[in-house]
Amino acid sequence: MKVVGIILREFPKQIFNEELLFRAIEQFISWQDSISEHVDFFLDIAVPDYRLDKLSGLYKDFVSQKDFLVAEGLSDSEVNQLALLTTEVSRLCEKLSGYPVKQTIVQPVFNDNNILIDNMRKKIIIIDLGEIVISHPFFSLLNFLQQIKKHHRLTDEDDLYLKIEDVCFKNYKVYFDTKKDFQDMLVTAELVSSIYVLVYQVRFMSACGKENLMAYQHWKLGDLLRGFIKNNLEIKP
């Protein structure tokens, strides 16, 4: 296979280039923005439709699979709690859809491990697009921030993390009158993102096989479901 660039995450820490990271984020956001005007084309070529008006229905179908959920280690009580959250899921999806952010391409695995730097051609290349769906753009950006914190040992208070977060969301903040309004939307997006992550697991499992995912320790659905129950019982944006 032809080598087309260096993985951004593999850059030695002493030469880690913030500017390259920021450029990669901006390039991805620009890509999302341009595609938001052509969503129907992507739906016509069978890119999965996870838009907010579809997401609550996907969640309802997901939690109705009781045997599947029990097989993942959930108790009957936990399965019932997931079903009872269906109304809350619909409310959150409807609330998020009311904000002025267009839905577009979502890459579930947008992170610095899927960004290549081609120094010869001075290009940034985003790879691993086989799992894209149409949904809310923040789902990709929130995953990016989560992975940055995990792999670069950053916290929400670190200057570098705050700079990265600003690059991710600065183009969207202009649509909100106050910082509080934007933060309210961000909290809602984080909760709805967890819904998206849950229902996406079915597609992920179908594509890769549950046994393969477990072998590589990429299958933690039971933990995700319990975390989802806990967060939604505690947080009401």
Side-chain angles (χ1 to χ4, degrees):
M1 181 181 294
K2 181 180 178 182
V3 177
V4 295
I6 304 171
I7 296 173
L8 185 56
R9 187 180 291 172
E10 294 182 355
F11 269 56
K13 289 187 177 179
Q14 61 269 27
I15 62 170
F16 180 76
N17 192 319
E18 292 181 18
E19 182 184 353
L20 284 176
L21 182 66
F22 298 162
R23 279 179 53 202
I25 298 169
E26 290 169 347
Q27 179 174 308
F28 182 79
I29 292 171
S30 176
W31 180 58
Q32 284 188 312
D33 185 55
S34 62
I35 288 175
S36 69
E37 303 296 332
H38 306 282
V39 163
D40 287 343
F41 169 80
F42 287 88
L43 294 174
D44 288 344
I45 61 173
V47 173
D49 187 352
Y50 281 54
R51 287 177 295 178
L52 296 173
D53 62 338
K54 304 290 192 303
L55 197 55
S56 57
L58 291 169
Y59 174 85
K60 184 176 181 180
D61 292 343
F62 176 72
V63 299
S64 68
Q65 302 176 57
K66 183 174 181 179
D67 291 344
F68 172 75
L69 297 173
V70 170
E72 293 300 320
L74 269 67
S75 67
D76 287 344
S77 175
E78 288 170 328
V79 173
N80 289 336
Q81 283 179 304
L82 288 170
L84 289 172
L85 284 169
T86 300
T87 301
E88 177 66 4
V89 165
S90 296
R91 184 188 75 83
L92 288 169
C93 288
E94 184 175 353
K95 180 177 181 181
L96 186 58
S97 68
Y99 292 105
V101 175
K102 295 180 180 179
Q103 298 183 81
T104 182
I105 285 287
V106 170
Q107 182 190 13
V109 287
F110 175 53
N111 57 60
D112 58 336
N113 201 45
N114 286 325
I115 296 171
L116 301 182
I117 307 302
D118 182 348
N119 284 322
M120 293 291 293
R121 295 184 295 167
K122 304 300 182 183
K123 287 189 175 182
I124 294 172
I125 304 165
I126 299 170
I127 63 171
D128 202 356
L129 303 176
E131 301 174 64
I132 59 173
V133 303
I134 299 296
S135 198
H136 195 282
F138 279 26
F139 298 164
S140 288
L141 302 175
L142 289 168
N143 175 73
F144 186 90
L145 290 170
Q146 182 183 37
Q147 294 299 313
I148 282 289
K149 285 194 289 186
K150 175 181 177 181
H151 292 285
H152 295 274
R153 299 179 180 178
L154 298 175
T155 69
D156 292 343
E157 290 76 33
D158 288 329
D159 287 342
L160 176 57
Y161 176 79
L162 292 172
K163 289 179 183 177
I164 297 170
E165 184 182 55
D166 183 62
V167 174
C168 285
F169 298 122
K170 63 182 179 181
N171 290 351
Y172 296 103
K173 291 179 180 179
V174 299
Y175 297 113
F176 295 84
D177 294 330
T178 67
K179 183 177 179 181
K180 182 181 181 300
D181 289 339
F182 176 77
Q183 288 300 321
D184 182 50
M185 183 240 186
L186 192 57
V187 170
T188 304
E190 288 171 346
L191 285 171
V192 180
S193 179
S194 68
I195 300 165
Y196 158 75
V197 169
L198 288 180
V199 300
Y200 183 79
Q201 295 301 303
V202 176
R203 184 184 180 212
F204 191 35
M205 182 182 66
S206 298
C208 301
K210 181 177 176 179
E211 293 76 14
N212 292 328
L213 294 171
M214 292 177 68
Y216 287 95
Q217 299 182 341
H218 289 318
W219 189 249
K220 301 177 182 178
L221 183 56
D223 293 340
L224 288 173
L225 288 163
R226 292 188 182 92
F228 177 76
I229 293 170
K230 181 175 183 295
N231 288 338
N232 278 278
L233 292 179
E234 291 180 352
I235 304 173
K236 299 290 184 183

